[in-house]
Amino acid sequence: MMYTCARGCSNPNHRHVGNARVSPRERLAAGSATGATKRAAVQRGSSASPVRTAKGKTVRVDVHCHYLNVEVAASVASLAPVEREPLHIFANALTRHVNGEQMKERAQMLTSIERRLKDMDEMGIDVQAVAPAPFQYYYWSEPDHGLELARKVNDRIAEIAGNWPERFVGIGTVPLQNADYAVAELERMVTELGMRGVEINTNVNGMDLTDERLGLEKFFRKAQDLDTVLFLHPMGFTSADRLRDHYFNNVIGNPMDTTIAASHLIFDGVMERNPTLKVVLAHGGGFLAHYPGRMDHGHAARNDCRTQIQAKPTSYLKKMYFDSITFEPAMLRFMVDYYGATQVVLGTDYPYDMADFDPVGSVNGISGITAEEKNLIMGGNAAKLLKIAT
């Protein structure tokens, strides 16, 4: 594979000569650097071109990373979107200050493709599945405006994937506040822009994804029909008065909201009605992935847990995929043992401070699994899910 790399690439997989290897955490965790954003026009649909790798080589794919569309953000700045975000609403003054400083320090990492390529090389990542920054869901907007914003966000991500097809594939967004618009934009982004998946929040303005008021059954069906990935990524818990301190609405709230959302997809029958739906859960699957037995016990013990499904809840959970962001090798080992290596995919949460900046080291740190299993986690599974030709 001919890699488009930043100058000084130290990824050993790329076989460059004379590059010194340094710690990814040392080089990336601080989040400060300089560089210009690389921009170019491309034809729509070019992101559908396969990512090509040398035959027999294990490609490392990051399924969880984010990009900020600054033009779209500027267009809604007068509407004060941050005031609508749970991670801001349920945060104390110190957390708001730290978050503000983080956005300043990591702005280049969120927006500059040259900086992103450099960081990917440092982390040993060959391909990123680039998804929007979560605060660019814009579900609070009026549906027509939300559709317009989603299209602009998606067009830019498709442009990035088209300009660097060997390094990026696109994950888009849809306006879930209107089911018909969400279905239409999902079809456009997959069939016209060549995007490989859609990132959705774990709730829509405080409503569960299965809430009948949203009418998202048609959206889930369309995602299954298009054989595209559904990437569930939270943006804090929506009723978080007790989570204002210590960044708890991220540390606790994010995995909790993922747990609730995935549980609704299971217990409300979405996974049963859409048996081939590809669902990827962020942050190691939230708390649910690490405490699965309780849902099976409740399902067996109580008829109010069996209103929609008859099979064990974990039979549906085991069909989902979980990114590797757990910060604990023993937790990753549990996921491999319980769900199988085929259900775990490498993720970083780049470029935020809650990211894993040494994802390859994290996977290599899992004890007692085979090299083949590590290769599946580091890229084999994601390549299959995201249709990355290898």
Side-chain angles (χ1 to χ4, degrees), residues 141-151 175 177-178 181:
S141 63
E142 291 297 320
D144 287 345
H145 190 203
L147 177 61
E148 176 188 354
L149 295 171
R151 289 172 68 94
Q177 63 269 46
N178 182 288
Y181 286 177

Side-chain angles (χ1 to χ4, degrees), residues 325-379:
I325 306 172
T326 64
F327 310 105
E328 174 52 64
M331 293 177 70
L332 283 174
R333 174 60 191 268
F334 169 79
M335 291 161 63
V336 172
D337 290 343
Y338 190 83
Y339 301 102
T342 58
Q343 305 307 117
V344 183
V345 289
L346 186 145
T348 63
D349 210 352
Y350 177 92
Y352 295 111
D353 56 8
M354 292 296 287
D356 181 354
F357 286 109
D358 187 13
V360 174
S362 294
V363 175
N364 281 330
I366 308 172
S367 62
I369 68 171
T370 67
E372 181 181 2
E373 288 172 321
K374 290 180 181 180
N375 287 338
L376 286 173
I377 295 168
M378 283 195 271

Side-chain angles (χ1 to χ4, degrees), residues 1-66:
M1 175 177 180
M2 295 295 293
Y3 284 98
T4 303
C5 303
R7 182 176 298 177
C9 169
S10 57
N11 187 337
N13 284 345
H14 298 180
R15 305 192 189 101
H16 301 314
V17 178
N19 289 327
R21 183 65 175 164
V22 297
S23 166
R25 289 193 175 96
E26 290 176 353
R27 295 290 292 271
L28 299 177
S32 59
T34 60
T37 301
K38 184 177 181 180
R39 303 294 299 271
V42 295
Q43 291 183 348
R44 238 177 226 177
S46 60
S47 62
S49 302
V51 173
R52 301 194 181 279
T53 62
K55 186 176 181 181
K57 176 188 171 298
T58 299
V59 61
R60 294 169 176 170
V61 183
D62 178 7
V63 304
H64 182 170
C65 59
H66 302 288

